[in-house]
Amino acid sequence: DVKVTQSSRYLVKRTGEKVFLECVQDMDHENMFWYRQDPGLGLRLIYFSYDVKMKEKGDIPEGYSVSREKKERFSLILESASTNQTSMYLCASSSHRRTTYEQYFGPGTRLTVT
Amino acid sequence: QKEVEQNSGPLSVPEGAIASLNCTYSDRVSQSFFWYRQYSGKSPELIMSIYSNGDKEDGRFTAQLNKASQYVSLLIRDSQPSDSATYLCAVAPYSNSGYALNFGKGTSLLVTP
């Protein structure tokens, strides 16, 4: 079974703090994704990566950066957290060796910025 | 912007009935289609994938794809209260940069005992 894990289920941070969210997958997937999910807005893609050290901006990259130093690990960084970044953050992974694009999600991190 | 549209609901069906969830997409050359189930406070879980026109059945779930009409649906037979969740439709575009999926905003399903 595909397993995607995220470093925290719940996180509370203060405005201006630097926040790191980590995601690890154990299926040797090439692609990894970071989404945020807000009521009424659905899933919105922040960044994705299709290989180590590679990254592509998604729909809402502003205020975020990412790092992928190892194939299994993809980190999302909030450089200076703001209250409008309070959200559910979801990591996902997929393989492009199989051209089916199925994505598998981690359990999510609910981040509150106060 | 490639659009994936779903009725937000809530769709309410009695226990034992068939629930029908619909999704339309704008990118005519889309190739792969997925249904995810998301319980409140949890992450999306992949429940069905479909790649060619027609029906695909898996237990109580049937996915239907009509590429000419750009329409994909999910039928849930013998609906149970445990099926109450939000169902997300996702589409993989043909010209895919980075293999990202386009997600709809989801349909909320409520199965009443």
Side-chain angles (χ1 to χ4, degrees):
Chain A
D1 280 350
V2 176
K3 189 164 186 183
V4 181
T5 58
Q6 295 183 229
S7 50
S8 305
R9 288 287 284 121
Y10 300 94
L11 208 53
V12 180
K13 296 292 182 181
R14 294 200 178 274
T15 302
E17 282 193 81
K18 191 168 187 176
V19 181
F20 293 87
L21 303 181
E22 293 205 319
C23 175
V24 178
Q25 50 91 8
D26 68 355
M27 284 302 294
D28 200 33
H29 283 173
E30 297 82 12
N31 309 316
M32 297 188 74
F33 307 84
W34 276 107
Y35 296 90
R36 64 178 284 178
Q37 188 174 35
D38 302 286
L41 297 178
L43 281 168
R44 292 183 291 169
L45 182 63
I46 304 171
Y47 268 98
F48 60 91
S49 169
Y50 52 89
D51 202 351
V52 175
K53 296 192 185 295
M54 305 304 292
K55 61 184 179 183
E56 292 280 347
K57 292 180 179 179
D59 299 320
I60 52 163
E62 296 80 17
Y64 303 94
S65 62
V66 291
S67 172
R68 192 163 181 204
E69 297 297 318
K70 293 185 177 181
K71 189 176 185 179
E72 67 272 17
R73 189 179 298 268
F74 192 35
S75 299
L76 179 69
I77 303 153
L78 286 65
E79 297 290 344
S80 178
S82 64
T83 55
N84 63 13
Q85 292 179 311
T86 291
S87 186
M88 169 71 96
Y89 288 88
L90 292 159
C91 175
S93 71
S94 70
S95 172
H96 58 242
R97 285 171 292 167
R98 299 177 59 201
T99 56
T100 55
Y101 309 114
E102 296 172 345
Q103 285 187 19
Y104 298 90
F105 285 84
T109 296
R110 186 163 293 281
L111 172 68
T112 302
V113 182
T114 62
Chain B
Q1 180 73 16
K2 305 298 191 289
E3 298 289 338
V4 178
E5 299 288 343
Q6 297 180 255
N7 191 319
S8 62
L11 173 66
S12 183
V13 300
E15 184 174 356
I18 296 175
S20 177
L21 304 162
N22 304 315
C23 172
T24 59
Y25 58 94
S26 64
D27 186 358
R28 180 169 293 278
V29 294
S30 297
Q31 296 293 306
S32 306
F33 306 86
F34 308 94
W35 284 100
Y36 287 81
R37 178 177 62 199
Q38 186 174 24
Y39 292 114
S40 181
K42 303 294 185 182
S43 63
E45 174 193 9
L46 180 65
I47 56 171
M48 289 289 284
S49 307
I50 188 166
Y51 309 104
S52 55
N53 279 328
D55 294 358
K56 178 182 178 183
E57 187 174 317
D58 183 0
R60 295 186 296 112
F61 298 99
T62 299
Q64 299 176 318
L65 175 61
N66 183 326
K67 289 186 178 180
S69 300
Q70 296 175 234
Y71 178 93
V72 58
S73 64
L74 179 70
L75 301 178
I76 307 174
R77 290 182 301 281
D78 188 24
S79 294
Q80 301 297 310
S82 59
D83 294 325
S84 298
T86 296
Y87 290 80
L88 305 177
C89 174
V91 175
Y94 179 75
S95 300
N96 204 348
S97 171
Y99 316 98
L101 300 180
N102 294 321
F103 284 86
K105 292 183 179 180
T107 297
S108 175
L109 173 66
L110 177 63
V111 181
T112 55

